[in-house]
Amino acid sequence: MQKRIHNLDGFRFVAAFIVLLGHATQFRHTYVIWTRGQHILNIASQVAVSFFFILSGFLITHLLLQYQEKNKEAKLSSRLASFYRRRMLRIWPLYYLLFFICFFVIDRGFLASVMPKDFPNPIAHHPTELTLGYLFFMPNYTGNYYDGGLYFLGPTWSLGVEEFFYLFFPIGFYLAGRKNLGKYLVGLTLVSFLLFMFCGKAGPALFDNEKQAWVVTSYLYRYRIYCFALGGLIAWAMLPENRMSRINHFFSKKFFSFGLGILIIYLLATYKTFGFLMHPVYTIIITLFLYTVICSGIRFSPLNFSPVVYLGKISYGIYLLHPLCIATMFYLLKPFDLNLQSNAFAFLFFTGTAVMTIGLSILSYELFEKFFLRLRDK
């Protein structure tokens, strides 16, 4: 299998940056009325998270297949232990550093001074529950049940989804084996999609308590495991024994990549949401796009420009740290008493947030994350 796959680091940065812009737009929306451009960024940021799930499913399956080829004689327990150790060393250090900063370094009055008066501040009402919830890596439950959770830790809900996937997927991967991997991934896709449909349509009727119904259905709605499974199917399709299939040959034409890329941009630019089926529809289109990009071997020059590739490598920091930078930038601009609806404020707010987030992510990657990455790769 390919050791290096072009474009992926660039895609990762673009997706993280779209999430940053989307969340900055949502934050500004608490003071400024929505515009069409803000609506587009809002939907694009949601789609970007689905893209992260697809890409994560592809990369994890790809890496598991590589590890399986190199360690054919290793016991299942040692393979799983190696996988979980590597994932923990990549995800947990920055997560717990941010947790520590948010709960024990930042003054709790800081968030209250930045947010509008009617903005929920759950840490003021549920400090113990929030501390324990985030400490034991339950960002989904904690965030959903306690008024959205702590703003600075907002993006961690997707880490909860990924950790859930990492928990069971490798076990099924090794039990299914290379021969039945395709069937396992197709079955996982179908089961996950049916659960998604059930939660959206029938789930609320199962609960008498309105808040419980909302928490459970919202919680399960976020667990878009079909995104990971479809990403894994791309990795399975790229196995040597599958590469020469007619489907792979058909989708290896570069015009498919360009066509699907243009389609995604068009759908987002025209604010197509597809209602309840938004995530499944965009997931299918993005999966096909990523599949054609990998099949064709196409290289998008801007995505492979070395600074962009580096930004892709620090995208985890960009994704996780940007809410802290959004609130900080707003706090720094408040004394200037700018009109919040003015172009000058928008320019300073978005530009400052982007620069601060990238700068902080570089520091995090070089001075903190790299230490654990070296441990992971030993």
Side-chain angles (χ1 to χ4, degrees), residues 98 100-111 152 324 328:
L98 184 60
F100 178 80
I101 291 171
C102 291
F103 279 89
F104 304 107
V105 177
I106 295 177
D107 177 61
R108 294 186 179 183
F110 169 69
L111 183 61
F152 298 140
L324 184 61
T328 302

Side-chain angles (χ1 to χ4, degrees), residues 60-61 64 165-173 181 184-185 188:
I60 290 304
T61 306
L64 285 172
F165 175 75
Y166 297 154
L167 186 63
F168 77 87
F169 176 74
I171 299 173
F173 172 91
L181 180 59
Y184 170 56
L185 290 166
L188 194 59

Side-chain angles (χ1 to χ4, degrees), residues 98-330:
L98 184 60
F99 164 82
F100 178 80
I101 291 171
C102 291
F103 279 89
F104 304 107
V105 177
I106 295 177
D107 177 61
R108 294 186 179 183
F110 169 69
L111 183 61
S113 69
V114 173
M115 297 299 187
K117 292 181 180 178
D118 59 346
F119 198 92
N121 185 14
I123 197 170
H125 306 292
H126 311 284
T128 303
E129 293 88 342
L130 284 168
T131 303
L132 293 175
Y134 284 113
L135 178 63
F136 289 101
F137 215 102
M138 295 189 294
N140 275 323
Y141 171 79
T142 305
N144 276 4
Y145 203 79
Y146 297 107
D147 302 319
L150 190 63
Y151 177 76
F152 298 140
L153 292 166
T156 59
W157 73 264
S158 65
L159 299 186
V161 176
E162 293 210 16
E163 289 289 284
F164 177 77
F165 175 75
Y166 297 154
L167 186 63
F168 77 87
F169 176 74
I171 299 173
F173 172 91
Y174 285 116
L175 293 177
R178 188 179 179 117
K179 185 178 179 181
N180 297 308
L181 180 59
K183 296 177 182 178
Y184 170 56
L185 290 166
V186 170
L188 194 59
T189 302
L190 293 175
V191 170
S192 173
F193 180 73
L194 290 174
L195 182 62
F196 168 87
M197 294 295 292
F198 173 80
C199 290
K201 298 297 182 182
L206 299 178
F207 298 90
D208 296 326
N209 184 292
E210 186 177 340
K211 184 170 185 178
Q212 285 182 348
W214 181 84
V215 169
V216 172
T217 53
S218 176
Y219 190 84
L220 294 175
Y221 180 80
R222 288 177 165 185
Y223 276 77
R224 303 192 284 271
I225 301 301
Y226 55 85
C227 295
F228 296 93
L230 287 172
L233 274 171
I234 300 175
W236 171 81
M238 299 311 297
L239 285 171
E241 58 265 33
N242 299 327
R243 275 194 179 182
M244 300 308 293
S245 69
R246 291 181 180 180
I247 295 177
N248 277 18
H249 181 70
F250 179 75
F251 281 108
S252 65
K253 307 296 188 293
K254 293 183 180 180
F255 70 84
F256 278 116
S257 299
F258 284 107
L260 288 166
I262 292 170
L263 175 61
I264 293 169
I265 294 171
Y266 168 77
L267 292 175
L268 292 174
T270 54
Y271 193 60
K272 301 295 183 184
T273 62
F274 303 102
F276 173 70
L277 293 175
M278 182 187 79
H279 290 301
V281 171
Y282 273 106
T283 294
I284 291 170
I285 297 171
I286 292 171
T287 300
L288 286 173
F289 171 67
L290 191 59
Y291 177 46
T292 59
V293 166
I294 295 172
C295 271
S296 64
I298 191 172
R299 292 185 63 178
F300 298 107
S301 297
L303 297 178
N304 292 281
F305 187 44
S306 55
V308 177
V309 172
Y310 178 78
L311 289 171
K313 290 180 179 179
I314 66 169
S315 60
Y316 179 52
I318 293 174
Y319 182 76
L320 213 56
L321 299 172
H322 73 265
L324 184 61
C325 297
I326 288 171
T328 302
M329 195 64 211
F330 192 89

